């Protein structure tokens, strides 16, 4: 009997009214989490899709029944490709899984995005309540998918309801803790109208096990209330056992009290359900029980359902509580348990591997695991199967590695791929395993260049391998070899190599030829990932060349394509970084921040998240938000560890931190970063960040000459080189001209300030232009720098005369609230002289009072 919980139901109803929403229902075993959720969802005009976790379950297992229900209801056509690229990994009924994307991180990302699309588009057709039970038992892959959905489900009509025995950190989820029932609620459960011992019907006497007059009119309720402590499951179990009965030796005995009254046939059905799993279809019960007659099965089930040990759930049965199922299962004798698992294995082919394993039939479990593609279980049972020798162990290791990668277990995937490599002798197979391991190591931040070189040596005519090696070489600045290999791969039919060739052509300065290659790459793209990579690569090289408007246009087109293809989180986030960067360069910082916010809200894969963070950190430095930029450095460094994406990628955090240190006037920190870069990196391998880092190194006095071999291609690199030369004593006028041609207002304003410092006689106009730019951008630190330089050079940024250094000192003390006498004492001048200075300051600033003067000084960054 469901009683109470009115407040909890109201909170669930409120969440339903504000979808998309999520509620985490937390409470101890038996407290009524599942019963509350059933009561709530039973009254919804919605599609309810349910799944749950079991101890030791496989990756994503709780989501499988949920997704199956949605596909059955609406069809897999709700997602691009009919779910064949991602969902088919979990739902084999969709057909063979389509070829995976070229980037291994995208296999998992694609699965997540297809699940999100299915959920949101199903909810658009009919409101959806997605219920996941017992998530405290869920594997990490399931939790990752759940958190992704909670972060990214934006459309109304979908409510996530999650139950757990322990608190979980789920983004955006309202936590609903279930307290024990009160005395009045326990009384109602027992059939009392209030707190008195009266009861609703004659069944209470049979359930209690003793007449009410023997317990006393209030005694039974008091006993059950005290012994159950308000736990609904224990209330019912105590009522079944008899409130005054001796305390059961174990909790299992208490939970089994209702089962002990069942007849032999009913008890057998209950035991079958305990072995079969969380949810047992009617047909499975009938097959395992050996009852061809549905009437006979119904007669056996009716007492079980009447006792509320099993509940009807559509065409299946579920235990009222997992603890009851555990108690029934644990009460089985070892022989009974093995026999029932064997019978269930024949009736539940999708779970046969687990049933045969529990039955001790390891050879049968091996065959079932093979059929179910449960490669980890196959490996576990390998030595127990006489036919295993005829199978391909290395192939199983490879499949298990790919499954581990899909589940987000990159370290495990690397270990399995390495074991497979140790076992293969065929050069072609070894080459493809090396390609897999290189891709896995890329996700771990490790360089896979040696693996790819060896793969190409073993399979010198494999176009895809040659193309992959060319791409990695290009990332690492080895352009000549990369170009030769990309041309070779292209000649062998690898269309993906067109992107590498286009990028190399652009970096050599021929943007128009590169545009033609990018267009050809998009026309001939063999898969969605290659298509989107072409947009990201082109936007990147255009931005590097200073073609900010064109970079913005290409990136926007790529973002739109990613959205249509269902790859918003993965490649879409990559392209978001490519879009935010030119916006930042053009001074449209709030637009760049909005792009970054939207991308980060999608919880993108680590390397894509890092690239987005880099743009955010750069904007924060330019704005003067140094604490925010420091947080970005801390967050991004672990994501960009190693050199897996080449020198340009691994140098980005160093460049950001160095910019932060210089802007924040922390020369010690800047020097440490520069020393690390100069000692640990070969800047000749970087096409984008060598000159910016060298300019900063010169600024803090670490270098006076550039290393030989630093490339200078495109207007941006020419501007950074001119900046470096100016920092080393060359003319800042040349750097100003370069930045003006590029069209990056912040960099231009910085160069104007340094030009003014170099040529004080002609400093007025550069400083005024820099001040106007800084004010328009909202660059706080730059505004302060301009004001200090103007004050030092005694140049007015307005029509009024500039304040002298002494007047600036007096103004600072005025802003502190000091009187003329106090100012005089602080500066060792007379009070009359202090008064003259204050009068001059008020006149120059056009201020009517000392307070107004201080306000103006702070607004104009004079102090």
């Amino acid at each position: 009997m469901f009683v109470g919980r009115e407040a909890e139901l109201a909170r669930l109803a409120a969440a339903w009214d504000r979808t998309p929403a999520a509620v985490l229902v937390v409470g101890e075993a038996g407290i009524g989490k599942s019963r509350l959720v059933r009561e709530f969802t039973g009254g919804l005009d919605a599609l309810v899709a349910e799944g749950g976790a079991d101890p030791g379950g496989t990756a994503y297992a709780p989501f499988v029944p949920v997704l199956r229900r949605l596909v059955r209801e609406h069809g897999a056509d709700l997602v691009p490709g009919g779910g064949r690229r991602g969902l088919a990994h979990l739902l084999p009924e969709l057909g063979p899984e389509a070829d995976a994307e070229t980037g291994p991180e995208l296999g998992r990302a694609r699965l997540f995005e297809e699940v999100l699309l299915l959920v949101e588009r199903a909810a658009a057709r009919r409101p959806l309540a997605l219920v996941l039970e017992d998530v405290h038992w869920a594997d990490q892959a399931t939790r990752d998918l759940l958190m992704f959905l909670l972060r990214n489900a934006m459309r109304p009509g979908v409510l996530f309801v999650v139950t757990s025995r322990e608190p979980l950190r789920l983004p955006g989820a309202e936590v609903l803790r279930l307290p024990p029932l009160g005395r009045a609620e326990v009384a109602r459960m027992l059939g009392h109208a209030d707190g008195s011992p009266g009861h609703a019907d004659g069944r209470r006497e049979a359930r209690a096990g003793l007449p009410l007059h023997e317990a006393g009119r209030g005694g039974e309720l008091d006993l059950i209330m005290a012994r159950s402590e308000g736990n609904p499951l224990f209330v019912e179990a105590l009522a079944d056992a008899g409130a005054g009965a001796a305390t059961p030796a174990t909790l299992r005995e208490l939970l089994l009290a209702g089962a002990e009254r069942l007849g032999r046939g009913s008890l057998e059905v209950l035991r079958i359900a305990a072995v079969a799993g969380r949810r047992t279809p009617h047909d499975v019960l009938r097959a395992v029980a050996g009852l061809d007659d549905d009437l006979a099965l119904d007669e056996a089930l009716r007492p079980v359902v009447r006792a509320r040990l099993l509940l009807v759930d559509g065409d299946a049965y579920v235990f009222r509580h997992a603890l009851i199922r555990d108690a029934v299962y644990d009460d089985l004798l070892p022989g009974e348990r093995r026999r029932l698992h064997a019978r269930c294995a024949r009736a539940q082919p999708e779970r046969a591997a687990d049933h045969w394993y529990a039955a001790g039939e390891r050879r049968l479990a091996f065959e079932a695991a093979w059929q179910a593609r449960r490669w980890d279980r196959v490996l576990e049972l390998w030595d127990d199967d006489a036919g295993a020798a005829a199978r391909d162990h290395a192939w199983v290791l490879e499949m298990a590695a790919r499954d581990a990668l899909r589940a987000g277990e990159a370290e495990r995937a690397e270990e399995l791929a390495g074991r497979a490599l140790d076992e293969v002798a065929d050069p072609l197979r070894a080459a493809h395993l090396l390609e897999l391991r290189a891709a896995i190591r890329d996700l771990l931040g490790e360089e896979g260049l040696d693996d790819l070189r060896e793969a190409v040596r073993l399979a010198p005519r494999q176009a895809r391998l040659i193309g992959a090696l060319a791409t990695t070489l290009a990332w690492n600045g080895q352009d000549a070899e990369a170009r030769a290999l990309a041309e070779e791969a292209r000649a062998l039919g690898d269309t993906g190599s067109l992107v590498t060739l286009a990028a190399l052509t652009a970096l050599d300065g021929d943007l128009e030829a590169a545009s033609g290659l990018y267009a050809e790459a998009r026309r001939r793209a063999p898969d969605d990932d290659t298509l989107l990579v072409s947009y990201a690569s082109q936007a990147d090289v255009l931005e590097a060349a200073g073609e900010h408007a064109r970079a913005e246009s290409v990136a926007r087109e790529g973002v739109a394509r990613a959205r249509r293809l269902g790859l918003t989180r993965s490649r879409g986030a990559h392209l978001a970084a490519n879009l935010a960067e030119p916006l930042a360069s053009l001074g449209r910082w709030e637009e760049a921040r909005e792009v970054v916010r939207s991308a980060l809200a999608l919880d993108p894969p680590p390397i894509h998240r890092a690239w987005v963070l880099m743009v955010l950190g750069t904007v924060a430095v330019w704005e003067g938000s140094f604490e925010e930029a420091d947080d970005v450095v801390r967050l991004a460094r672990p994501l960009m560890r190693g050199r897996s994406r080449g020198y340009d990628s691994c140098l980005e955090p160093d460049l950001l931190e160095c910019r932060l240190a210089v802007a924040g006037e922390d020369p010690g920190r800047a020097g440490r970063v520069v020393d690390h870069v100069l000692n640990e990196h070969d800047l000749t391998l970087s096409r984008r960040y060598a000159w910016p880092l060298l300019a900063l190194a010169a600024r803090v006095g670490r270098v006076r000459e550039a290393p030989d071999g630093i490339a200078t291609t495109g207007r941006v690199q020419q501007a950074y080189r001119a900046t470096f030369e100016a920092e080393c004593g060359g003319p800042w006028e040349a750097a100003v001209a370069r930045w003006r041609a590029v069209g990056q207002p912040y960099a231009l304003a910085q160069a104007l300030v340094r030009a003014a410092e170099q040529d004080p006689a002609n400093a007025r106009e550069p400083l005024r232009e820099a001040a106007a730019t800084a004010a328009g951008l909202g660059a706080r630190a730059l505004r302060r720098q301009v004001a200090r330089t103007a004050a030092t050079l005694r140049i007015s940024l307005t029509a009024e005369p500039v304040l002298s250094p002494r007047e600036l000192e007096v103004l600072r003390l005025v802003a502190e609230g000091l009187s003329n006498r106090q100012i005089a004492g602080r500066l060792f001048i007379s009070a009359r002289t202090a008064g003259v200075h204050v009068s001059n300051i008020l006149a120059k600033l056009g201020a009517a009072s000392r307070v107004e003067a201080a306000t103006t000084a702070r607004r104009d960054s004079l102090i």
Side-chain angles (χ1 to χ4, degrees):
M1 179 180 181
F2 183 80
V3 299
R5 307 297 193 201
E6 288 84 3
E8 290 82 1
L9 286 171
R11 288 177 64 183
L12 286 168
W16 179 248
D17 289 339
R18 64 172 186 272
T19 59
V23 178
L24 173 64
V25 182
V26 180
E28 65 181 18
I31 202 66
K33 301 182 293 295
S34 299
R35 186 69 183 89
L36 170 70
V37 173
R38 282 196 299 271
E39 185 74 14
F40 169 68
T41 57
L44 293 180
D45 181 15
L47 174 64
V48 180
E50 300 173 284
D54 287 309
T58 57
Y60 306 114
F63 275 102
V64 171
V66 171
L67 301 175
R68 188 164 282 134
R69 177 71 191 278
L70 297 183
V71 169
R72 189 181 302 124
E73 185 80 12
H74 297 296
D77 291 340
L78 289 180
V79 299
R84 291 280 305 285
R85 295 186 179 90
L87 289 175
H89 182 73
L90 300 182
L91 304 179
E93 59 265 33
L94 296 181
E97 194 171 356
D99 291 338
E101 295 87 350
T102 54
E105 77 274 18
L106 298 181
R108 179 172 153 100
R110 189 78 190 233
L111 171 63
F112 281 24
E113 294 202 50
E114 288 195 0
V115 172
L116 175 63
L117 283 173
L118 181 64
V119 168
E120 287 198 324
R121 292 179 180 180
R125 295 190 176 187
R126 184 184 177 192
L128 170 65
L130 193 155
V131 178
L132 288 178
E133 296 262 33
D134 296 328
V135 176
H136 52 274
W137 280 326
D139 61 281
Q140 189 58 50
T142 294
R143 294 192 185 198
D144 290 346
L145 176 53
L146 173 60
M147 287 191 286
F148 168 74
L149 293 174
L150 295 181
R151 287 191 181 102
N152 293 287
M154 304 295 182
R155 297 180 182 177
V158 58
L159 174 68
F160 297 88
V161 182
V162 180
T163 71
S164 175
R165 293 182 190 173
E166 57 195 38
L168 303 172
R169 298 184 67 178
L170 299 180
E174 176 184 357
V175 179
L176 182 57
R177 297 178 182 272
L178 291 193
L181 297 177
R183 178 185 174 87
E185 293 166 326
V186 171
R188 288 166 58 194
M189 278 192 70
L190 298 175
H192 298 212
D194 44 33
S196 69
H199 54 277
D201 56 52
R203 288 179 294 175
R204 279 296 308 118
E205 287 93 339
R207 290 182 61 203
L210 74 168
L212 288 176
H213 67 271
E214 292 182 21
R217 293 190 57 81
E220 182 195 38
L221 177 57
D222 291 338
L223 281 172
I224 290 179
M225 186 67 199
R227 295 172 68 185
S228 71
E229 297 183 346
N231 184 298
L233 180 65
F234 301 161
V235 169
E236 293 190 345
L238 285 166
D240 286 337
T247 302
T250 65
L251 175 61
R252 184 192 308 170
E253 292 180 25
L254 179 62
L255 296 172
L256 290 175
E260 290 174 351
R261 298 188 179 90
L262 296 175
R264 180 176 179 180
S266 297
L267 185 57
E268 174 72 3
V269 168
L270 183 67
R271 289 169 173 169
I272 292 169
V275 170
R278 165 181 291 276
R279 183 178 186 275
T280 309
H282 183 88
D283 291 344
V284 170
L285 277 179
R286 182 178 58 192
V288 178
L291 298 174
D292 295 330
D293 186 355
D294 274 328
L295 292 177
L297 178 59
D298 290 344
E299 287 303 312
L301 275 167
R302 188 166 285 110
V304 182
V305 173
R306 187 181 296 123
R308 298 191 68 251
L309 296 167
L310 289 180
L311 304 176
V312 177
D313 180 26
D315 62 349
Y317 303 90
V318 295
F319 277 87
R320 176 163 53 91
H321 197 282
L323 286 178
I324 298 175
R325 177 190 166 200
D326 292 345
V328 173
Y329 186 86
D330 292 343
D331 194 52
L332 292 169
L333 296 173
E336 285 182 302
R337 190 176 301 160
R338 287 196 296 269
R339 286 194 298 273
L340 286 177
H341 272 297
R343 286 155 62 183
C344 285
R346 299 184 181 95
Q348 292 179 292
E350 72 281 1
R351 295 198 58 213
D354 294 329
H355 284 309
W356 286 125
Y357 187 83
E361 298 287 349
R362 296 174 70 88
R363 291 180 61 184
L364 293 172
F366 177 92
E367 289 298 332
W370 188 281
Q371 293 299 319
R373 301 176 67 83
R374 295 272 302 279
W375 305 119
D376 263 346
R377 179 56 59 85
V378 168
L379 291 172
E380 181 183 358
L381 296 167
W382 190 269
D383 293 336
D384 296 296
D385 189 81
R391 313 285 181 112
D392 189 335
H393 189 254
W395 182 82
V396 175
L397 286 166
E398 179 185 350
M399 294 299 102
R402 294 185 183 277
D403 281 352
L405 199 58
R406 180 90 63 165
E409 301 170 1
E411 291 85 356
R412 168 72 171 158
E414 182 183 26
E415 182 256 331
L416 290 165
R419 287 171 57 190
L421 268 168
D422 291 340
E423 296 185 11
V424 299
D426 177 67
L428 183 57
R429 287 190 62 189
H432 287 298
L433 281 168
L434 285 162
E435 180 190 21
L436 173 63
R437 190 170 69 176
I440 295 168
R441 287 177 169 176
D442 176 63
L443 294 184
L444 294 170
E446 301 170 9
E447 187 180 278
L449 191 55
D450 289 342
D451 276 353
L452 288 173
R453 284 192 184 280
E454 177 63 11
V456 171
R457 187 189 70 80
L458 292 172
R461 299 293 294 173
Q462 289 289 303
R464 190 181 68 192
L465 294 178
I466 298 170
L469 176 57
T471 299
T472 305
L473 288 167
W475 285 344
N476 285 276
Q478 300 179 43
D479 296 352
E481 187 180 2
R483 181 185 295 279
L485 288 170
E487 291 282 12
E488 182 181 350
R490 178 188 183 185
L492 291 171
D494 179 45
T495 55
S497 295
L498 286 165
V499 176
T500 302
L501 284 171
L504 291 170
T505 301
L507 291 172
D508 285 342
D510 192 344
L511 292 179
E512 298 315 310
S515 295
L517 287 169
Y518 280 121
E520 183 183 355
R522 286 197 268 279
R523 286 194 305 271
R524 300 175 57 191
D527 51 57
D528 296 341
D529 187 51
T530 302
L531 175 68
L532 296 178
V533 165
S534 72
Y535 284 105
S537 177
Q538 186 175 12
D540 184 65
V541 297
L542 287 169
E543 171 63 16
E547 298 288 338
H548 306 308
R550 290 175 64 187
E552 177 193 354
S553 176
V554 170
R556 285 193 186 280
E557 185 178 348
V559 168
R561 292 293 293 268
R563 187 180 300 115
R564 290 197 296 271
L565 291 169
L567 285 169
T568 301
R569 172 184 177 252
S570 48
R571 285 300 177 201
H574 181 180
L575 283 154
N578 294 122
L579 173 58
E581 190 172 11
L583 292 174
S585 296
L586 291 166
R588 292 153 60 185
W589 293 348
E590 188 51 45
E591 287 182 68
R593 279 187 172 276
E594 182 56 38
V595 171
V596 167
R597 279 193 290 268
S598 298
L600 292 178
L602 296 173
D603 188 26
I607 191 64
H608 300 156
R609 183 177 186 84
W611 290 334
V612 173
L613 284 170
M614 284 294 99
V615 182
L616 176 63
T618 301
V619 170
V621 169
W622 292 346
E623 287 179 339
S625 303
F626 298 147
E627 288 187 8
E628 181 184 20
D630 210 26
D631 287 341
V632 168
V633 171
R634 176 178 51 80
L635 291 170
R637 275 203 182 278
L639 303 178
M640 304 183 79
R641 64 191 186 280
R643 298 177 177 175
S644 66
R645 296 302 173 110
Y647 265 81
D648 277 350
S649 185
C650 71
L651 283 172
E652 282 190 84
D654 293 327
L655 176 59
L656 175 58
E657 185 173 0
C658 199
R659 281 173 168 164
L660 170 61
V662 170
E665 299 179 347
D666 186 348
R669 183 180 185 182
R672 288 191 297 274
V673 176
V674 166
D675 289 344
H676 161 75
V677 169
L678 296 177
N679 293 330
E680 302 297 330
H681 293 279
D682 181 356
L683 292 182
T684 64
L685 299 178
S686 172
R687 302 297 294 262
R688 289 197 61 180
Y689 303 125
W691 283 119
L693 281 163
L694 286 169
L696 291 166
R699 178 71 179 270
V700 297
R702 286 303 201 268
V703 296
R704 303 303 293 173
E705 292 183 358
D708 293 334
I710 304 293
T712 312
T713 303
R715 294 183 301 174
V716 172
Q717 297 307 310
Q718 290 166 359
Y720 274 120
R721 179 170 184 166
T723 301
F724 168 77
E725 292 169 348
E727 293 284 7
C728 294
W732 276 100
E733 184 180 350
V736 168
R738 290 292 188 185
W739 285 117
R740 198 178 297 282
V742 170
Q744 288 186 204
Y746 182 81
L748 172 60
Q750 285 185 308
L752 286 166
V753 175
R754 302 304 303 282
E757 294 171 347
Q758 190 179 57
D759 184 9
N762 297 296
R764 183 183 301 265
E765 290 310 313
L767 284 177
R768 286 183 174 180
E769 182 181 352
T773 299
L777 291 173
R780 297 187 297 273
L782 181 57
R783 287 182 66 184
R784 290 193 294 270
Q785 182 186 359
V786 173
R788 284 199 305 268
T789 303
T792 300
L793 298 178
R794 306 189 68 178
I795 293 173
S796 173
L797 298 178
T798 65
E800 299 297 325
V802 72
L803 300 181
S804 69
R806 174 62 85 180
E807 287 169 342
L808 284 172
E809 288 182 288
V810 172
L811 179 58
R812 292 189 187 95
L813 298 176
V814 167
E816 291 180 20
L818 273 62
S819 67
N820 287 352
R821 185 176 299 279
Q822 290 169 320
I823 292 171
R826 186 77 65 86
L827 298 180
F828 303 102
I829 59 177
S830 69
R832 180 176 181 180
T833 300
V836 171
H837 282 315
V838 171
S839 297
N840 289 339
I841 290 168
L842 295 178
K844 287 182 178 182
L845 296 181
S849 66
R850 299 164 77 99
V851 172
E852 185 179 348
T855 302
T856 300
R858 292 191 180 96
R859 183 196 65 204
D860 293 342
S861 302
L862 297 177
I863 58 175

